[in-house]
Amino acid sequence: MRSDLQEKTAETGEDKLRWRYQDKAYNEIYRQWRKKNQDSVGFYFAENSSKLTYQDGVGLIKDFPEEREKHALEKVLDLIGKCMLFCVLCDVFSKYFFPRILTWLGFDINYDFFTNKLYGNSYIIMTIDFLSIFIPRLLASIYLIITIKIPFKVILPMKISNKPMFNVCIPAMLLSSGVCCIISMMSASLFSAVHIRPNYFVTLPGSVTEAIYFITEQIIIISIVREFFCRGIILQLTRQFGDEFAILITSFIMASSRYDISKFFYSFIAAMVIGYFTIRTGSVLTAVIMKITYLVFNYAVSFIYYKTDPAYSNVILISFLFACISTGLIFVIRFLYFHSDSFGMVLKNRYMSLGKKMLLSLTNISIIMWLTGVIIVTLIGVYFTS
C-alpha cells in the first residue's frame, strides 16, 4: 500500500513544468513517451528515493536528475546537429552546384558567385529554392521521427488550448515585424560602416502567374514545412528540457538558417515571438499562421520598396509600417486588457540551469559542425560595397 502511494506521488510530482499550456491528452502521451525513452532521448525523472540503490562492485548509485537531463539533452542535441548539418550541406549543393549541373544539361539557369544570385528562368529558380528547403527538412523530419519514435500528437499538436491568444497571433506578428523592420533599417549604418551591404528586401516575381506560383510554394507550403519541422518536431522535442530553452534553441536555428547577417536579429526576434505563441496556444497551427503573416509582411515591404515610385516609396513604406504597428498594438493592448491571464507563461528550468544547457549545446560536436557550416555559408554570401 505504501509503495503504491509513493509511486503515485512520484508520477504526479516528477514534472515541475506540469505542461499546463497543453491539454491533458498531450501531457499524458508526452509523459509516457519520455518515460519509455528515458535511457536515450527522453528525459523523465521520478523523484523517488528508491532510485538510490547499491550495486556490488560499484557502490552507491546516485541517479541524480541533473545527470539524467544532461544525458538526454546530449542525445537530442546530437540528433538535431546532424539533421541541421544535413540541411546545410543540401543548401550548399542546391545553391552552388546544382545550378551548374542544370546549366551543363542545357537549362536556362546560372549562379553568379560575385552577386550571390541565381539568374535565368524564374520558374526554375523558384523550384530550386522550394526543393532546397522542402526535401532536406522532409528527410530530416522522417529521420527524427523514426529515430526518436515520438508520437505525432506530441510533435504536431493541433488543438488550440488558448483561443484568446490564438485570435491575436496575426496582429502580434504584425507588431513585432514592424518594430523589427524599423530597427533593422536604422541599424543599416552599422553594416555600411564596415562596407557590408545589408539585404533587407527580397526578390519579387515579375508576372501574375509567377506570383501565384511563388506564393503557393514559398509562402504557404514552405511555411508549413518549416514550422512542422522546427516548431513541431524540434520545439516539442526540446520542451522536455524547459520551455525557455526550447524557444531559444529553435529561434537560433531558424535565424541562423537564413545565412544572412543583416537579417539574423530580425529573424531571431520574430522566431522568439512565434515560439512563445506556439507553446502558449498549444498548437503548431499558430506557428504556421504567424510565419505566413511574417512572410507576407516581408514581401509587402519589398513590393513597396521596389514597385512604387521612388519619389514616394519612403513615405508609403513608413505609412505601411505605422499602420501595421498601430493595428497590432491596438489588438495586443485590447487582448492584454481583457485576457491578461492568458498571455503570461512561467518559464521554469528543469534541473540543469539554462546557462549549463546553452554551454552544453555550444560544445556539442554535431552542433559545432553545423554552426561551422552556417558561418562559412553566411560569410560566403556577404556582399561588400566599394
Side-chain angles (χ1 to χ4, degrees), residues 97-295:
F97 298 99
F98 191 56
R100 297 180 184 276
I101 296 174
L102 293 180
T103 302
W104 180 72
L105 293 174
F107 288 88
D108 182 17
I109 186 72
N110 187 39
Y111 173 75
D112 190 334
F113 181 83
F114 296 100
T115 60
N116 193 31
K117 290 184 179 180
L118 286 172
Y119 295 94
N121 188 292
S122 57
Y123 289 100
I124 298 178
I125 294 175
M126 288 187 287
T127 302
I128 292 175
D129 290 338
F130 170 75
L131 294 177
S132 65
I133 297 173
F134 179 79
I135 294 179
R137 282 149 188 85
L138 176 63
L139 296 177
S141 299
I142 294 173
Y143 171 74
L144 280 174
I145 292 172
I146 294 175
T147 303
I148 63 181
K149 300 177 182 178
I150 193 167
F152 276 98
K153 289 185 178 180
V154 172
I155 61 175
L156 293 177
M158 294 296 179
K159 184 178 180 180
I160 300 169
S161 59
N162 186 349
K163 291 185 178 180
M165 193 165 179
F166 175 79
N167 294 333
V168 81
C169 67
I170 293 178
M173 195 73 255
L174 290 175
L175 172 61
S176 58
S177 296
V179 172
C180 290
C181 185
I182 292 177
I183 295 174
S184 298
M185 291 178 178
M186 292 175 63
S187 64
S189 57
L190 298 176
F191 293 99
S192 300
V194 292
H195 302 286
I196 296 178
R197 187 181 72 180
N199 184 25
Y200 295 121
F201 306 101
V202 294
T203 304
L204 297 172
S207 64
V208 176
T209 54
E210 290 178 359
I212 295 174
Y213 186 77
F214 180 82
I215 291 172
T216 303
E217 280 191 346
Q218 297 295 326
I219 296 182
I220 299 177
I221 299 178
I222 292 302
S223 294
I224 295 174
V225 172
R226 282 184 180 274
E227 296 311 311
F228 279 9
F229 175 66
C230 195
R231 242 74 64 165
I233 299 176
I234 296 180
L235 178 67
Q236 303 304 324
L237 175 62
T238 53
R239 280 196 68 194
Q240 58 184 323
F241 309 108
D243 289 339
E244 75 283 22
F245 174 75
I247 293 173
L248 280 172
I249 194 71
T250 52
S251 300
F252 182 77
I253 288 174
M254 292 294 286
S256 301
S257 299
R258 298 294 298 272
Y259 309 120
D260 194 331
I261 297 176
S262 61
K263 293 180 180 177
F264 177 82
F265 291 104
Y266 179 14
S267 302
F268 181 77
I269 294 174
M272 290 277 288
V273 173
I274 296 175
Y276 187 89
F277 268 72
T278 301
I279 289 179
R280 196 63 184 87
T281 60
S283 176
V284 179
L285 293 176
T286 306
V288 174
I289 292 174
M290 295 186 78
K291 188 54 176 286
I292 291 175
T293 304
Y294 168 80
L295 292 177

Side-chain angles (χ1 to χ4, degrees), residues 17 66 69-70 73 77 235 238-252 268 272 279 346-363:
L17 292 179
E66 185 172 338
E69 186 176 16
K70 181 180 178 181
L73 181 56
L77 289 172
L235 178 67
T238 53
R239 280 196 68 194
Q240 58 184 323
F241 309 108
D243 289 339
E244 75 283 22
F245 174 75
I247 293 173
L248 280 172
I249 194 71
T250 52
S251 300
F252 182 77
F268 181 77
M272 290 277 288
I279 289 179
V346 180
L347 297 175
K348 293 182 179 179
N349 281 321
R350 300 289 279 153
Y351 296 96
M352 293 177 64
S353 66
L354 180 60
K356 288 182 179 180
K357 293 173 189 174
M358 298 307 297
L359 181 61
L360 187 65
S361 302
L362 294 175
T363 55

Side-chain angles (χ1 to χ4, degrees), residues 29-77:
I29 295 173
Y30 203 177
R31 187 185 71 84
Q32 291 294 340
W33 173 82
R34 288 162 50 226
K35 188 175 183 180
K36 184 178 180 181
N37 295 274
Q38 60 182 316
D39 293 328
S40 56
V41 293
F43 172 61
Y44 179 91
F45 186 85
E47 295 173 324
N48 191 331
S49 59
S50 64
K51 291 290 181 181
L52 300 178
T53 59
Y54 184 86
Q55 183 177 344
D56 292 337
V58 177
L60 188 64
I61 305 299
K62 296 183 179 180
D63 196 3
F64 289 112
E66 185 172 338
E67 290 300 317
R68 276 281 191 91
E69 186 176 16
K70 181 180 178 181
H71 172 77
L73 181 56
E74 286 175 342
K75 296 288 187 179
V76 169
L77 289 172

